[in-house]
Structure formats: structure tokens, C-alpha cells
Amino acid sequence: MHSVLDSTIDVSTIDIDHSAPIQNTSTNQHTAPIEKPRTVDPKCVLGFFFKPIKIKFNENVHQAPPKDPVCKFKLGGHKEKCHLGDQQGAVSDHLSSSYLERKHGEKFAKLQVIDKKQGLFGKTIAETQISIDEIIQNGTCSRNWYKLEKKDVIVGEVLLEVEYQKAPDN
């Protein structure tokens, strides 16, 4: 009785056609075409609408929910504020948004969540950075959750809808 291990193959006599394409013979594997990442010329001025939809805080980290949460967005040297519904983070009837322009190829926008009931300028509750490149790669409108941090501790998350377009000529 001969086993497979008893036979040897002389690989020097095998002729391989290197010009033939490699074929996937697996029947349960689907390969999608590779898409090029979306890019925008950094010199192109883009307008971004930042719209906070909902905010959630971790109960074990944040003792009391903010009474009047406000989102402060910063892109380059420009800042905008908008309100964020009620203290439970529910969607309000009139969601506001912030419009900022990327004029100098900035890579990140900054978001600070403050509580306006905590003094004249409000108390910073949490903050995060939003990657402009990721927004562009996701398409002209995206809705994502972003982790909110305070002193390197994740204290919650915010659902943001971000839309961008070429800014109107000034």
C-alpha cells in the first residue's frame, strides 16, 4: 500500500504560466472592487455643517447631566456654538447646527460640550476632535458617534451629523 507521503513530485518539471491572472476558486468568498479614498484639494475652501443630534454620558463618570448643554465647534481660528436638546440628550424640535469653513487645510475640528448653567462662559464637560479627512472619506453627509473625553477619561459620546460642501466664493 502506497501513501501520499511515499510519492515525490519533481517541481523542476512543472511549467507555470506567469501571465495568467490568479483566480479565486472559493465559492463562498465575495471580493468587492477596491475603491479609491475620497480626497479634496486642501486648498479648496469647504463649508462644514456640524449638527449635534444626541448626547449620552456615562453614569459612573458623570454625576449629574448638564442642565443646558451647548456644543462649541472650532475649525481653524473660527468658533460657533449650537444648542443640544434637553438635559437627557433627546432630540429637540428645533435642532441647531454650526457652520464653519476650512480655509487652510485643517485636519481636525474641535468640539467642546459645555454647560451654560455653570457660570458666565459655561463649564467644559467634555471634548473631542473630529477628523476632517474621515468626514471627507465618508461622503458629503455622515452621521457618527464620537467619544467625549475629559482629562483622558471617556465620559460619554455625541451623535453628530456632519455635512460638507464647497464654500461659496466670498
Side-chain angles (χ1 to χ4, degrees):
M1 182 167 148
H2 286 77
S3 75
V4 176
L5 297 175
D6 294 336
S7 57
T8 58
I9 299 173
D10 183 8
V11 293
S12 64
T13 62
I14 298 175
D15 186 27
I16 299 174
D17 182 5
H18 293 285
S19 64
I22 298 173
Q23 295 180 350
N24 182 359
T25 57
S26 173
T27 57
N28 62 356
Q29 186 176 1
H30 174 70
T31 57
I34 298 173
E35 292 184 27
K36 290 173 133 180
R38 297 173 200 243
T39 58
V40 174
D41 180 4
K43 295 176 187 170
C44 178
V45 177
L46 295 176
F48 288 86
F49 291 95
F50 296 96
K51 183 185 219 179
I53 305 296
K54 189 170 186 174
I55 191 167
K56 293 191 262 184
F57 289 99
N58 299 340
E59 291 178 17
N60 56 347
V61 176
H62 201 339
Q63 291 79 18
K67 301 209 183 324
D68 188 12
V70 173
C71 288
K72 283 175 52 175
F73 293 95
K74 181 180 178 189
L75 183 59
H78 303 283
K79 298 176 185 177
E80 284 287 326
K81 293 180 189 176
C82 61
H83 286 274
L84 186 76
D86 64 15
Q87 68 262 18
Q88 283 78 36
V91 177
S92 68
D93 292 337
H94 56 284
L95 287 173
S96 63
S97 64
S98 293
Y99 176 79
L100 293 168
E101 291 182 354
R102 181 186 83 163
K103 295 183 178 182
H104 304 288
E106 292 87 359
K107 298 289 184 186
F108 292 94
K110 184 176 181 180
L111 163 64
Q112 278 186 312
V113 179
I114 61 171
D115 189 354
K116 287 297 282 182
K117 298 284 185 190
Q118 298 287 323
L120 181 61
F121 298 106
K123 177 182 176 186
T124 299
I125 300 166
E127 56 191 15
T128 192
Q129 285 191 338
I130 303 158
S131 169
I132 297 298
D133 290 338
E134 284 180 20
I135 293 169
I136 291 170
Q137 288 178 358
N138 289 337
T140 56
C141 186
S142 63
R143 190 180 269 211
N144 293 309
W145 286 96
Y146 292 90
K147 296 197 181 319
L148 294 170
E149 296 182 3
K150 183 164 186 174
K151 298 181 183 173
D152 296 326
V153 175
I154 296 173
V155 296
E157 55 186 1
V158 62
L159 178 61
L160 287 180
E161 184 175 283
V162 183
E163 184 177 345
Y164 76 91
Q165 60 192 15
K166 187 175 182 217
D169 294 331
N170 293 333

